[in-house]
Amino acid sequence: MPSHARPKPSRVPRALLRAGLVISAAGAALAASGAATASAAPAASDLATDTGAAASGLTGALLHSAAGGLGPVKNLKLDPLANTSVDPLANAVSTQIADFKPVGTTLLTGALSNGAALKDLPLVGTVTRVLPG
């Protein structure tokens, strides 16, 4: 068989092989720690006798994890250009008809252009108070 017809062996870079080995070892370590945690959990018969405490613990864990996930979202600054000279929401337009109160866009965009978070908005802020976090 001529040398040009022979398939060339595939060469995988050594760094890629090492990275795969590290990821595999990390996965095995996580699986082992998960198995150790599962074996340290109370038996099912213990949980069956006190379902109120188990439900309370589950609810507490759910609320705690939801607070950890929703808390930063509620406090996140929505307009990254707030309080800068290039903020497009800082451009306000207003008008007044006869003796009526003036109406402008600052009513809607004022809170955002001042750097408000989701919890600071007029209508949405009251809704976000019921969310944990």
Side-chain angles (χ1 to χ4, degrees), residues 11-101:
R11 295 217 175 239
V12 179
R14 188 172 282 228
L16 188 60
L17 289 174
R18 287 182 182 168
L21 183 61
V22 168
I23 291 171
S24 300
L30 286 174
S33 69
T37 304
S39 65
S45 62
D46 295 340
L47 290 177
T49 59
D50 193 13
T51 57
S56 171
L58 181 62
T59 304
L62 182 63
L63 288 176
H64 181 70
S65 63
L70 293 176
V73 173
K74 288 171 47 174
N75 297 321
L76 183 67
K77 187 167 103 171
L78 295 176
D79 185 14
L81 298 174
N83 296 323
T84 63
S85 61
V86 294
D87 185 14
L89 296 177
N91 298 331
V93 177
S94 63
T95 186
Q96 181 178 6
I97 299 173
D99 295 335
F100 294 111
K101 185 178 177 182

